[in-house]
Amino acid sequence: MLELFKKNTFFSILLLIPYAIVLHASAWFSQITYKHSETCWIYNQIFKNQWLSYSTETMIAIAMIAIQAIIIGRMVSSYKMNSEGQLFGGLFFILFCGFHPSTLSLNPVLFANLFFTVGLYQLFGIYLKKTATTQLFNFGFLVGLASLFYTPYYIYLLLGVIGIVILRGSKPKEFLQIIGGFINIYFLAYVILYIFNLHLEFWDQQITGFFSPFIFSFKFSSYGWVAFTLLLLFLILILFQYPYFQFKRTMMVQKQFDILFWCLLVGLWSTLFLKIEQVNHLMVLFTPLALLTGLLLTKLKNPLIQETIHLFLVIVSLFLQFQNW
């Protein structure tokens, strides 16, 4: 099956949609209840009244997961990260989402991660450009949009600064372009909220509601810790394989991999001094982790071993979904 996803062709991309549907199997057999957090105030204003049916929410969630998987595959292809297994990163993104019902259902982190993934695509595009004003502004704007849905994504502003240093050198003016895009989205949002006299409610519930004086303030269930442990194992594996991502690579690709490793580190920092109430927070790591894991799978040249690993992870994902936790 993996042979069908090796190239970023139109047919292969279409296969990601039924693949995402299969990895949503539990959502079709039993209703997944998403507990709305008061700290995701803007998302709650849109979806808390449940004006969408459960089946509609499920289909939107599948579509958004598939779209992000496609963008990840496009990123690998456009920036020539690997000539083989171009859609493997997208497959792993879908698999990671299947490790817990909270990351399968329609939730604010899913929306936020979509904007961040597009923003990461923009950030990669600044390499060797004489002027990258548009890409940098778009990155800041998209990070701001992501943080409107899920506040911890603001931490990825730091990734923009790191990305400029790695890809273009230290240029203070370009740092301000990212900040400008970020502030722009908050200015527009705040003006709209002020007109409807909702700005104080937004600030009190979403902005201040996320910050806590405690480190690692997690409220995961036992099921959540299982998903966290699995992702941690993938993260450790990736870190130990860092030399593989630097060996016989072009300078551009080496720099892109460095950004992805920094992306993982910055994502882990997002757990500090924040009140993390749900497992879907782990999605802040999914995009860089899926990209690197998918590329690492191509290191194995034996197709049988690749298929075995893939099948094992699919079984693990479905097993976790159907457990009566």
Side-chain angles (χ1 to χ4, degrees):
M1 181 179 178
L2 287 178
E3 290 295 324
L4 298 174
F5 294 101
K6 282 198 171 182
K7 295 295 182 181
N8 197 348
T9 63
F10 181 72
F11 175 71
S12 299
I13 290 172
L14 287 181
L15 286 178
L16 286 173
I17 299 174
Y19 188 86
I21 293 174
V22 171
L23 265 296
H24 262 75
S26 63
W28 301 111
F29 289 96
S30 60
Q31 184 165 333
I32 298 173
T33 55
Y34 171 72
K35 181 182 177 183
H36 291 264
S37 171
E38 294 300 322
T39 52
C40 299
W41 185 83
I42 285 186
Y43 177 84
N44 291 341
Q45 302 310 303
I46 302 173
F47 293 103
K48 194 172 182 179
N49 293 329
Q50 296 181 343
W51 55 276
L52 293 175
S53 65
Y54 174 74
S55 58
T56 302
E57 287 190 0
T58 302
M59 287 187 286
I60 293 174
I62 291 173
M64 293 189 68
I65 290 174
I67 289 171
Q68 291 178 64
I70 291 168
I71 294 172
I72 290 171
R74 180 65 179 169
M75 208 180 301
V76 176
S77 175
S78 297
Y79 297 114
K80 298 177 174 59
M81 294 181 182
N82 201 315
S83 60
E84 297 182 0
Q86 294 176 1
L87 294 177
F88 285 2
L91 289 181
F92 274 97
F93 181 85
I94 296 172
L95 279 168
F96 291 158
C97 288
F99 283 168
H100 196 280
S102 182
T103 52
L104 279 175
S105 59
L106 193 67
N107 64 79
V109 197
L110 186 59
F111 277 88
N113 200 70
L114 174 62
F115 297 124
F116 168 69
T117 302
V118 177
L120 187 61
Y121 194 106
Q122 292 284 313
L123 184 63
F124 281 163
I126 70 174
Y127 187 64
L128 293 181
K129 282 186 175 290
K130 290 185 178 180
T131 58
T133 303
T134 302
Q135 288 85 354
L136 292 172
F137 181 88
N138 287 345
F139 177 79
F141 188 89
L142 288 163
V143 168
L145 199 54
S147 66
L148 277 181
F149 279 92
Y150 192 65
T151 303
Y153 274 86
Y154 82 93
I155 195 70
Y156 281 119
L157 280 177
L158 179 59
L159 181 69
V161 174
I162 294 170
I164 291 174
V165 172
I166 292 175
L167 295 175
R168 299 177 66 82
S170 181
K171 296 184 178 181
K173 183 178 75 172
E174 295 186 337
F175 300 155
L176 294 176
Q177 290 166 357
I178 291 180
I179 299 298
F182 183 83
I183 292 176
N184 191 277
I185 186 65
Y186 269 87
F187 176 77
L188 293 174
Y190 210 80
V191 167
I192 295 171
L193 292 172
Y194 184 82
I195 292 173
F196 291 97
N197 197 29
L198 295 171
H199 58 293
L200 293 178
E201 187 176 351
F202 164 72
W203 182 266
D204 291 339
Q205 292 195 30
Q206 178 154 328
I207 303 301
T208 62
F210 257 108
F211 292 89
S212 168
F214 306 106
I215 296 179
F216 297 116
S217 179
F218 292 157
K219 295 183 179 179
F220 293 174
S221 63
S222 57
Y223 189 177
W225 284 110
V226 171
F228 179 80
T229 302
L230 284 171
L231 290 172
L232 188 61
L233 290 174
F234 278 103
L235 180 60
I236 293 171
L237 175 64
I238 290 296
L239 292 176
F240 274 106
Q241 291 295 322
Y242 177 78
Y244 167 74
F245 293 101
Q246 299 295 312
F247 184 66
K248 291 185 179 180
R249 309 284 183 180
T250 64
M251 184 61 68
M252 180 184 74
V253 173
Q254 286 181 9
K255 290 177 179 291
Q256 289 165 351
F257 286 150
D258 283 340
I259 290 175
L260 290 175
F261 276 93
W262 275 105
C263 190
L264 289 174
L265 181 59
V266 172
L268 288 173
W269 285 344
S270 71
T271 60
L272 298 176
F273 305 105
L274 290 174
K275 184 171 63 177
I276 308 302
E277 297 181 341
Q278 299 189 23
V279 183
N280 55 24
H281 176 83
L282 297 176
M283 292 190 76
V284 301
L285 300 171
F286 280 10
T287 297
L289 192 60
L291 266 164
L292 292 170
T293 307
L295 293 170
L296 186 60
L297 187 63
T298 62
K299 182 181 180 182
L300 303 171
K301 300 304 180 182
N302 190 327
L304 181 59
I305 297 177
Q306 289 182 344
E307 291 286 0
T308 302
I309 293 174
H310 171 242
L311 181 60
F312 173 75
L313 291 174
V314 169
I315 292 172
V316 168
S317 177
L318 293 175
F319 173 78
L320 291 174
Q321 289 182 43
F322 284 99
Q323 281 299 301
N324 184 16
W325 299 86

Short mmCIF file of all heavy atoms in Angstrom, two decimals, residues 25-69:
data_model
loop_
_atom_site.label_atom_id
_atom_site.label_comp_id
_atom_site.label_asym_id
_atom_site.label_seq_id
_atom_site.Cartn_x
_atom_site.Cartn_y
_atom_site.Cartn_z
N ALA A 25 -12.39 5.44 12.13
CA ALA A 25 -13.38 4.38 12.27
C ALA A 25 -14.20 4.49 13.55
O ALA A 25 -15.43 4.32 13.54
CB ALA A 25 -12.68 3.01 12.23
N SER A 26 -13.56 4.80 14.66
CA SER A 26 -14.29 4.85 15.93
C SER A 26 -15.35 5.95 15.93
O SER A 26 -16.38 5.84 16.61
CB SER A 26 -13.30 5.08 17.09
OG SER A 26 -12.66 6.33 16.96
N ALA A 27 -15.10 7.02 15.18
CA ALA A 27 -16.06 8.13 15.15
C ALA A 27 -17.36 7.73 14.48
O ALA A 27 -18.42 8.31 14.76
CB ALA A 27 -15.44 9.32 14.42
N TRP A 28 -17.31 6.72 13.60
CA TRP A 28 -18.52 6.30 12.91
C TRP A 28 -19.33 5.29 13.73
O TRP A 28 -20.54 5.17 13.55
CB TRP A 28 -18.16 5.68 11.56
CG TRP A 28 -17.42 6.62 10.66
CD1 TRP A 28 -16.12 6.54 10.27
CD2 TRP A 28 -17.93 7.82 10.05
NE1 TRP A 28 -15.78 7.60 9.46
CE2 TRP A 28 -16.87 8.40 9.30
CE3 TRP A 28 -19.17 8.45 10.06
CZ2 TRP A 28 -17.03 9.58 8.59
CZ3 TRP A 28 -19.33 9.63 9.35
CH2 TRP A 28 -18.27 10.17 8.62
N PHE A 29 -18.67 4.55 14.63
CA PHE A 29 -19.36 3.53 15.41
C PHE A 29 -19.86 4.05 16.76
O PHE A 29 -20.81 3.51 17.32
CB PHE A 29 -18.44 2.33 15.64
CG PHE A 29 -18.19 1.53 14.40
CD1 PHE A 29 -17.06 1.75 13.63
CD2 PHE A 29 -19.09 0.56 13.98
CE1 PHE A 29 -16.83 1.02 12.47
CE2 PHE A 29 -18.87 -0.17 12.83
CZ PHE A 29 -17.74 0.06 12.07
N SER A 30 -19.20 5.06 17.30
CA SER A 30 -19.65 5.64 18.57
C SER A 30 -19.34 7.13 18.55
O SER A 30 -18.33 7.55 18.01
CB SER A 30 -18.95 4.97 19.76
OG SER A 30 -17.55 5.15 19.67
N GLN A 31 -20.22 7.90 19.14
CA GLN A 31 -20.08 9.34 19.11
C GLN A 31 -18.97 9.80 20.05
O GLN A 31 -18.96 9.47 21.23
CB GLN A 31 -21.40 10.01 19.49
CG GLN A 31 -21.34 11.53 19.39
CD GLN A 31 -22.73 12.16 19.41
OE1 GLN A 31 -23.70 11.53 19.02
NE2 GLN A 31 -22.81 13.38 19.86
N ILE A 32 -18.04 10.58 19.49
CA ILE A 32 -16.96 11.14 20.28
C ILE A 32 -17.41 12.48 20.84
O ILE A 32 -17.81 13.37 20.09
CB ILE A 32 -15.69 11.35 19.42
CG1 ILE A 32 -15.19 10.01 18.87
CG2 ILE A 32 -14.59 12.02 20.22
CD1 ILE A 32 -14.05 10.15 17.89
N THR A 33 -17.40 12.60 22.15
CA THR A 33 -17.82 13.84 22.77
C THR A 33 -16.60 14.71 23.05
O THR A 33 -15.67 14.29 23.72
CB THR A 33 -18.56 13.57 24.09
OG1 THR A 33 -17.72 12.78 24.95
CG2 THR A 33 -19.85 12.82 23.83
N TYR A 34 -16.63 15.91 22.50
CA TYR A 34 -15.53 16.85 22.73
C TYR A 34 -15.93 17.80 23.85
O TYR A 34 -16.97 18.45 23.80
CB TYR A 34 -15.20 17.64 21.46
CG TYR A 34 -14.23 18.76 21.71
CD1 TYR A 34 -12.89 18.49 21.97
CD2 TYR A 34 -14.66 20.09 21.73
CE1 TYR A 34 -11.99 19.51 22.24
CE2 TYR A 34 -13.77 21.11 21.98
CZ TYR A 34 -12.44 20.81 22.24
OH TYR A 34 -11.56 21.83 22.50
N LYS A 35 -15.11 17.86 24.89
CA LYS A 35 -15.36 18.76 26.01
C LYS A 35 -14.79 20.13 25.69
O LYS A 35 -13.58 20.31 25.56
CB LYS A 35 -14.71 18.21 27.29
CG LYS A 35 -14.94 19.07 28.51
CD LYS A 35 -14.23 18.51 29.72
CE LYS A 35 -14.42 19.42 30.93
NZ LYS A 35 -13.67 18.91 32.11
N HIS A 36 -15.67 21.11 25.54
CA HIS A 36 -15.23 22.45 25.19
C HIS A 36 -14.53 23.11 26.37
O HIS A 36 -15.05 23.16 27.48
CB HIS A 36 -16.43 23.31 24.76
CG HIS A 36 -17.03 22.90 23.46
ND1 HIS A 36 -16.69 23.50 22.27
CD2 HIS A 36 -17.93 21.93 23.16
CE1 HIS A 36 -17.38 22.92 21.29
NE2 HIS A 36 -18.12 21.98 21.80
N SER A 37 -13.33 23.61 26.12
CA SER A 37 -12.58 24.32 27.15
C SER A 37 -12.93 25.79 27.11
O SER A 37 -13.03 26.40 26.03
CB SER A 37 -11.07 24.13 26.93
OG SER A 37 -10.33 24.96 27.80
N GLU A 38 -13.12 26.39 28.27
CA GLU A 38 -13.48 27.81 28.34
C GLU A 38 -12.35 28.69 27.82
O GLU A 38 -12.57 29.84 27.45
CB GLU A 38 -13.83 28.18 29.77
CG GLU A 38 -15.09 27.51 30.31
CD GLU A 38 -16.33 27.85 29.48
OE1 GLU A 38 -16.45 29.01 29.03
OE2 GLU A 38 -17.17 26.96 29.28
N THR A 39 -11.12 28.18 27.82
CA THR A 39 -9.99 28.99 27.36
C THR A 39 -9.95 29.14 25.84
O THR A 39 -9.22 29.99 25.34
CB THR A 39 -8.67 28.37 27.85
OG1 THR A 39 -8.62 27.00 27.48
CG2 THR A 39 -8.53 28.49 29.36
N CYS A 40 -10.69 28.31 25.11
CA CYS A 40 -10.77 28.44 23.64
C CYS A 40 -12.03 29.25 23.31
O CYS A 40 -12.97 28.75 22.68
CB CYS A 40 -10.78 27.07 22.98
SG CYS A 40 -9.30 26.10 23.30
N TRP A 41 -12.03 30.49 23.71
CA TRP A 41 -13.23 31.31 23.69
C TRP A 41 -13.75 31.55 22.27
O TRP A 41 -14.94 31.42 22.00
CB TRP A 41 -12.94 32.65 24.38
CG TRP A 41 -14.15 33.52 24.53
CD1 TRP A 41 -15.09 33.47 25.51
CD2 TRP A 41 -14.53 34.58 23.64
NE1 TRP A 41 -16.05 34.44 25.30
CE2 TRP A 41 -15.73 35.13 24.17
CE3 TRP A 41 -13.99 35.12 22.48
CZ2 TRP A 41 -16.38 36.20 23.55
CZ3 TRP A 41 -14.64 36.17 21.86
CH2 TRP A 41 -15.82 36.71 22.40
N ILE A 42 -12.87 31.92 21.35
CA ILE A 42 -13.31 32.22 19.99
C ILE A 42 -13.89 30.99 19.31
O ILE A 42 -14.93 31.05 18.66
CB ILE A 42 -12.14 32.80 19.16
CG1 ILE A 42 -11.89 34.25 19.58
CG2 ILE A 42 -12.41 32.71 17.65
CD1 ILE A 42 -10.88 34.99 18.76
N TYR A 43 -13.22 29.84 19.47
CA TYR A 43 -13.75 28.60 18.90
C TYR A 43 -15.13 28.29 19.48
O TYR A 43 -16.05 27.88 18.76
CB TYR A 43 -12.80 27.45 19.18
CG TYR A 43 -13.30 26.10 18.70
CD1 TYR A 43 -13.11 25.69 17.39
CD2 TYR A 43 -13.98 25.24 19.57
CE1 TYR A 43 -13.57 24.47 16.93
CE2 TYR A 43 -14.45 24.00 19.12
CZ TYR A 43 -14.24 23.64 17.82
OH TYR A 43 -14.72 22.41 17.38
N ASN A 44 -15.29 28.51 20.78
CA ASN A 44 -16.57 28.21 21.44
C ASN A 44 -17.69 29.09 20.91
O ASN A 44 -18.84 28.65 20.80
CB ASN A 44 -16.45 28.40 22.95
CG ASN A 44 -15.57 27.34 23.59
OD1 ASN A 44 -15.32 26.29 23.00
ND2 ASN A 44 -15.09 27.61 24.78
N GLN A 45 -17.39 30.34 20.57
CA GLN A 45 -18.42 31.22 20.04
C GLN A 45 -18.94 30.72 18.69
O GLN A 45 -20.09 30.98 18.34
CB GLN A 45 -17.86 32.65 19.87
CG GLN A 45 -17.33 33.28 21.14
CD GLN A 45 -18.29 33.18 22.30
OE1 GLN A 45 -19.43 33.65 22.22
NE2 GLN A 45 -17.85 32.58 23.40
N ILE A 46 -18.09 29.98 17.98
CA ILE A 46 -18.49 29.49 16.65
C ILE A 46 -19.18 28.14 16.74
O ILE A 46 -20.19 27.89 16.08
CB ILE A 46 -17.24 29.38 15.74
CG1 ILE A 46 -16.56 30.75 15.61
CG2 ILE A 46 -17.63 28.85 14.36
CD1 ILE A 46 -15.23 30.71 14.87
N PHE A 47 -18.68 27.23 17.60
CA PHE A 47 -19.13 25.84 17.57
C PHE A 47 -19.80 25.34 18.84
O PHE A 47 -20.38 24.26 18.84
CB PHE A 47 -17.94 24.91 17.27
CG PHE A 47 -17.38 25.08 15.89
CD1 PHE A 47 -16.21 25.78 15.69
CD2 PHE A 47 -18.04 24.55 14.79
CE1 PHE A 47 -15.68 25.94 14.42
CE2 PHE A 47 -17.54 24.70 13.51
CZ PHE A 47 -16.35 25.40 13.32
N LYS A 48 -19.75 26.09 19.93
CA LYS A 48 -20.27 25.55 21.19
C LYS A 48 -21.77 25.34 21.17
O LYS A 48 -22.30 24.46 21.85
CB LYS A 48 -19.89 26.47 22.36
CG LYS A 48 -20.09 25.82 23.72
CD LYS A 48 -19.54 26.68 24.83
CE LYS A 48 -19.70 26.00 26.19
NZ LYS A 48 -19.14 26.83 27.28
N ASN A 49 -22.48 26.12 20.39
CA ASN A 49 -23.95 25.98 20.35
C ASN A 49 -24.41 24.75 19.58
O ASN A 49 -25.61 24.49 19.49
CB ASN A 49 -24.56 27.23 19.71
CG ASN A 49 -24.38 28.46 20.59
OD1 ASN A 49 -24.34 28.34 21.81
ND2 ASN A 49 -24.27 29.62 19.97
N GLN A 50 -23.45 24.00 19.04
CA GLN A 50 -23.73 22.74 18.36
C GLN A 50 -24.77 22.90 17.23
O GLN A 50 -25.72 22.12 17.13
CB GLN A 50 -24.20 21.69 19.37
CG GLN A 50 -23.12 21.33 20.38
CD GLN A 50 -23.57 20.27 21.38
OE1 GLN A 50 -24.76 20.02 21.52
NE2 GLN A 50 -22.62 19.68 22.06
N TRP A 51 -24.57 23.91 16.42
CA TRP A 51 -25.46 24.11 15.29
C TRP A 51 -25.13 23.16 14.15
O TRP A 51 -25.91 23.04 13.19
CB TRP A 51 -25.40 25.56 14.82
CG TRP A 51 -24.02 26.05 14.49
CD1 TRP A 51 -23.09 26.53 15.35
CD2 TRP A 51 -23.42 26.10 13.19
NE1 TRP A 51 -21.94 26.88 14.68
CE2 TRP A 51 -22.11 26.63 13.35
CE3 TRP A 51 -23.85 25.75 11.91
CZ2 TRP A 51 -21.25 26.82 12.28
CZ3 TRP A 51 -22.99 25.94 10.85
CH2 TRP A 51 -21.71 26.47 11.03
N LEU A 52 -24.01 22.44 14.27
CA LEU A 52 -23.67 21.41 13.30
C LEU A 52 -24.01 20.04 13.88
O LEU A 52 -23.82 19.80 15.07
CB LEU A 52 -22.18 21.46 12.96
CG LEU A 52 -21.66 22.69 12.21
CD1 LEU A 52 -20.15 22.62 12.07
CD2 LEU A 52 -22.31 22.81 10.83
N SER A 53 -24.48 19.14 13.03
CA SER A 53 -24.75 17.78 13.49
C SER A 53 -23.43 17.05 13.72
O SER A 53 -22.38 17.47 13.23
CB SER A 53 -25.59 17.03 12.45
OG SER A 53 -24.85 16.86 11.25
N TYR A 54 -23.51 15.95 14.46
CA TYR A 54 -22.29 15.19 14.77
C TYR A 54 -21.64 14.66 13.49
O TYR A 54 -20.42 14.72 13.35
CB TYR A 54 -22.62 14.03 15.70
CG TYR A 54 -21.44 13.11 15.94
CD1 TYR A 54 -20.39 13.50 16.74
CD2 TYR A 54 -21.37 11.86 15.32
CE1 TYR A 54 -19.29 12.68 16.95
CE2 TYR A 54 -20.28 11.03 15.52
CZ TYR A 54 -19.25 11.44 16.33
OH TYR A 54 -18.16 10.62 16.53
N SER A 55 -22.45 14.15 12.56
CA SER A 55 -21.88 13.61 11.32
C SER A 55 -21.21 14.71 10.49
O SER A 55 -20.16 14.48 9.88
CB SER A 55 -22.98 12.93 10.49
OG SER A 55 -24.03 13.86 10.18
N THR A 56 -21.79 15.91 10.51
CA THR A 56 -21.18 17.03 9.79
C THR A 56 -19.85 17.41 10.41
O THR A 56 -18.86 17.65 9.70
CB THR A 56 -22.12 18.25 9.79
OG1 THR A 56 -23.37 17.89 9.20
CG2 THR A 56 -21.51 19.40 8.98
N GLU A 57 -19.80 17.48 11.74
CA GLU A 57 -18.55 17.79 12.43
C GLU A 57 -17.48 16.74 12.12
O GLU A 57 -16.31 17.08 11.91
CB GLU A 57 -18.79 17.86 13.94
CG GLU A 57 -19.54 19.11 14.39
CD GLU A 57 -19.52 19.24 15.90
OE1 GLU A 57 -18.93 18.37 16.58
OE2 GLU A 57 -20.09 20.23 16.41
N THR A 58 -17.89 15.48 12.08
CA THR A 58 -16.94 14.41 11.78
C THR A 58 -16.38 14.54 10.38
O THR A 58 -15.17 14.39 10.15
CB THR A 58 -17.61 13.03 11.95
OG1 THR A 58 -18.10 12.90 13.29
CG2 THR A 58 -16.62 11.90 11.66
N MET A 59 -17.25 14.85 9.42
CA MET A 59 -16.79 15.01 8.04
C MET A 59 -15.86 16.21 7.89
O MET A 59 -14.87 16.17 7.15
CB MET A 59 -17.99 15.13 7.10
CG MET A 59 -18.73 13.82 6.89
SD MET A 59 -20.02 13.90 5.63
CE MET A 59 -21.28 14.83 6.49
N ILE A 60 -16.16 17.30 8.61
CA ILE A 60 -15.28 18.47 8.57
C ILE A 60 -13.92 18.13 9.17
O ILE A 60 -12.87 18.51 8.63
CB ILE A 60 -15.92 19.66 9.33
CG1 ILE A 60 -17.17 20.15 8.60
CG2 ILE A 60 -14.91 20.80 9.48
CD1 ILE A 60 -17.95 21.21 9.35
N ALA A 61 -13.92 17.38 10.29
CA ALA A 61 -12.67 16.97 10.92
C ALA A 61 -11.84 16.10 9.98
O ALA A 61 -10.62 16.30 9.84
CB ALA A 61 -12.95 16.22 12.22
N ILE A 62 -12.48 15.16 9.30
CA ILE A 62 -11.77 14.30 8.33
C ILE A 62 -11.18 15.14 7.21
O ILE A 62 -10.01 14.96 6.82
CB ILE A 62 -12.73 13.24 7.76
CG1 ILE A 62 -13.12 12.23 8.83
CG2 ILE A 62 -12.09 12.51 6.58
CD1 ILE A 62 -14.19 11.25 8.39
N ALA A 63 -11.97 16.08 6.70
CA ALA A 63 -11.49 16.93 5.61
C ALA A 63 -10.30 17.75 6.05
O ALA A 63 -9.31 17.88 5.30
CB ALA A 63 -12.62 17.84 5.13
N MET A 64 -10.34 18.30 7.26
CA MET A 64 -9.25 19.14 7.73
C MET A 64 -7.98 18.34 7.97
O MET A 64 -6.87 18.79 7.69
CB MET A 64 -9.66 19.88 9.00
CG MET A 64 -10.76 20.90 8.78
SD MET A 64 -11.05 21.91 10.23
CE MET A 64 -9.54 22.86 10.29
N ILE A 65 -8.13 17.12 8.50
CA ILE A 65 -6.97 16.26 8.70
C ILE A 65 -6.36 15.87 7.35
O ILE A 65 -5.14 15.89 7.17
CB ILE A 65 -7.36 15.01 9.50
CG1 ILE A 65 -7.66 15.39 10.96
CG2 ILE A 65 -6.26 13.95 9.47
CD1 ILE A 65 -8.20 14.27 11.80
N ALA A 66 -7.22 15.53 6.37
CA ALA A 66 -6.73 15.16 5.04
C ALA A 66 -6.04 16.34 4.36
O ALA A 66 -5.00 16.18 3.71
CB ALA A 66 -7.89 14.66 4.19
N ILE A 67 -6.60 17.54 4.51
CA ILE A 67 -5.99 18.74 3.90
C ILE A 67 -4.60 18.99 4.47
O ILE A 67 -3.65 19.27 3.73
CB ILE A 67 -6.90 19.97 4.12
CG1 ILE A 67 -8.17 19.85 3.26
CG2 ILE A 67 -6.15 21.26 3.79
CD1 ILE A 67 -9.22 20.88 3.56
N GLN A 68 -4.47 18.86 5.79
CA GLN A 68 -3.15 19.06 6.41
C GLN A 68 -2.16 17.99 5.96
O GLN A 68 -0.98 18.28 5.74
CB GLN A 68 -3.30 19.07 7.93
CG GLN A 68 -4.04 20.30 8.43
CD GLN A 68 -4.24 20.32 9.92
OE1 GLN A 68 -3.27 20.37 10.68
NE2 GLN A 68 -5.49 20.28 10.36
N ALA A 69 -2.63 16.76 5.81
CA ALA A 69 -1.77 15.69 5.31
C ALA A 69 -1.30 16.00 3.89
O ALA A 69 -0.13 15.76 3.54
CB ALA A 69 -2.52 14.35 5.34
#
